[in-house]
Amino acid sequence: MGGIEAYPSNLSPPSLAVVLEQRGSPDEVARVIELSPVEIKENEVCVKMLASPIQPSDINMVQGVYPIEIPFPAVGGREGVGEVYAFGSAVKGLSLGDWVIPMPPSLGTWQTYVVKKESAWHKINKNVPMDLAAVVSVNPLTALLLLDDFAKLNSGDTIVQNGSTSIVGQCIIQLAKLRGVHSINIIRDRAGSDDAKERLKKLGADKVYTESQLQVKDIKSVLGSLPEPALGFNSVSGNSATLVLNFLRQGGTMVTYGGMSRKPITVSTSAFVFKDLTLRGFWLKKMMIPERIQDTKVLVDYLLSLMQVGKLNYELELVPFEKFPMAMDKALGKLGSHPKQILKF
């Protein structure tokens, strides 16, 4: 990794950055340029970024279909892990070489050097794999809160989810397994689905089905010895959400945190009248309010501790920063299906 040397002034080094010029498709409105050095104020920290993901929410914000406004032009990215490079005279809690993540996530991580107030950074353990740490504050945290905040799950219980190959889905499988909670997982019908099933089972999934396998009259027949799920998670919507609802037991709850199909959720009258199902929504941003941020940091540290000992893992693809255009094309699905793209600086 090389030694860390503070830049010999109160200025950051010049920063190579992905700048988003205006609203639109990020492959069309983003350009990589060099930004001039900026002043490092007494309470600020200059961080040399190590890795930063391209999240669907990053793309949606640029497209203008996500409820967070970007002040264009702006440097993209809201998440990642970096190394403390320099800091102002009033900074007391960080040292050169410390690893930090922005907490809560904030705009500007798709660049080589980022300057923010000390309070914007959360110090983490340097023994955590870099690529896993780069995404800890969104996808794994979402998985943990989904399992914690909507129902009391006991060992032996079952959950059901769609979007199971996503990082959130992979984390839900592993976190549930650690608690003795069974998981039923629904994936899309596409090339490579058999391989995807095996990967999820290796992570601890009890059952994995493609959507077409669940087009049966008695969906409960596929449960086997597993109890009916009390809790379901939906990130796809459309017909896939209906499949999640069909699994739920009397009085069960489905939590929606995404809509990858861009189709609405349709619920039968009988699901409400005879099964008394509850539909809830989840948006991570609401958990990042000042009143909860310290508790959130504790949860992030817990997740990082699991990663450090190999109990929490997920599929990623590291891409050199200079290949950003290719990484964005993959993230947009223009080059087929790929793991989440992580820019490596």
Side-chain angles (χ1 to χ4, degrees):
M1 178 121 4
I4 299 296
E5 297 180 6
Y7 200 66
S9 74
N10 66 336
L11 298 178
S12 72
S15 186
L16 200 62
V18 176
V19 174
L20 307 165
E21 298 287 355
Q22 60 188 23
R23 180 178 295 179
S25 181
D27 59 330
E28 298 175 356
V29 301
R31 61 191 182 107
V32 179
I33 62 174
E34 183 174 282
L35 300 179
S36 300
V38 299
E39 180 186 359
I40 304 171
K41 298 177 182 177
E42 62 176 12
N43 64 341
E44 291 182 333
V45 179
C46 175
V47 170
K48 181 181 184 296
M49 293 304 297
L50 301 174
S52 178
I54 301 176
Q55 292 280 17
S57 57
D58 296 324
I59 294 170
N60 293 156
M61 279 188 282
V62 184
Q63 294 169 331
V65 295
Y66 197 79
I68 294 179
E69 292 288 335
I70 293 181
F72 297 106
V75 177
R78 301 181 70 248
E79 195 181 7
V81 61
E83 198 169 40
V84 174
Y85 180 87
F87 49 81
S89 59
V91 172
K92 304 300 181 186
L94 294 171
S95 301
L96 296 181
D98 284 347
W99 278 19
V100 293
I101 60 174
M103 179 56 64
S106 56
L107 201 62
T109 57
W110 292 350
Q111 62 178 318
T112 49
Y113 293 92
V114 181
V115 176
K116 293 181 183 291
K117 291 181 179 179
E118 180 183 12
S119 58
W121 300 107
H122 177 56
K123 181 179 175 179
I124 69 168
N125 193 317
K126 295 177 70 171
N127 293 324
V128 178
M130 178 187 67
D131 53 344
L132 302 185
V135 299
V136 66
S137 59
V138 172
N139 299 140
L141 182 59
T142 293
L144 183 60
L145 290 168
L146 287 171
L147 288 167
D148 281 350
D149 284 6
F150 295 93
K152 179 174 173 52
L153 294 171
N154 299 309
S155 180
D157 286 345
T158 306
I159 60 96
V160 58
Q161 67 168 340
N162 57 30
S164 304
T165 57
S166 68
I167 291 184
V168 174
Q170 293 176 58
C171 289
I172 285 174
I173 291 169
Q174 294 169 85
L175 293 170
K177 185 78 171 180
L178 287 172
R179 303 172 182 203
V181 173
H182 304 291
S183 66
I184 300 169
N185 300 275
I186 304 168
I187 64 175
R188 287 179 290 173
D189 289 272
R190 62 182 182 184
S193 59
D194 287 340
D195 290 339
K197 287 181 181 180
E198 291 307 309
R199 289 197 302 272
L200 295 182
K201 287 179 179 178
K202 286 180 180 178
L203 292 178
D206 291 272
K207 294 182 180 292
V208 187
Y209 300 102
T210 59
E211 293 176 358
S212 63
Q213 288 181 298
L214 298 176
Q215 304 300 324
V216 294
K217 288 185 178 180
D218 181 14
I219 201 168
K220 298 301 192 324
S221 65
V222 304
L223 279 170
S225 61
L226 296 180
E228 290 180 315
L231 188 60
F233 305 122
N234 166 48
S235 65
V236 180
S237 297
N239 179 64
S240 188
T242 302
L243 296 176
V244 172
L245 288 168
N246 289 343
F247 270 106
L248 293 177
R249 73 185 187 198
Q250 182 81 19
T253 298
M254 182 177 79
V255 185
T256 293
Y257 66 97
M260 289 187 291
S261 70
R262 298 188 179 181
K263 295 179 180 178
I265 299 169
T266 302
V267 186
S268 67
T269 301
S270 62
F272 284 124
V273 175
F274 303 119
K275 292 184 69 177
D276 191 25
L277 298 184
T278 299
L279 304 187
R280 299 284 305 274
F282 175 87
W283 188 25
L284 183 62
K285 182 174 172 58
K286 292 185 177 180
M287 307 299 150
M288 295 294 186
I289 58 177
E291 294 80 8
R292 289 197 63 167
I293 197 64
Q294 290 305 319
D295 292 337
T296 302
K297 290 177 179 179
V298 172
L299 296 178
V300 165
D301 288 341
Y302 165 69
L303 292 165
L304 291 167
S305 72
L306 295 178
M307 296 172 191
Q308 187 178 346
V309 297
K311 291 184 177 181
L312 186 62
N313 205 340
Y314 32 85
E315 192 177 7
L316 303 166
E317 184 176 344
L318 279 170
V319 181
F321 183 48
E322 58 268 23
K323 295 185 178 180
F324 171 80
M326 181 185 70
M328 180 55 72
D329 284 347
K330 288 182 177 180
L332 289 168
K334 294 169 64 174
L335 301 176
S337 178
H338 291 272
K340 188 177 295 293
Q341 300 294 291
I342 309 294
L343 303 173
K344 185 178 184 298
F345 297 90

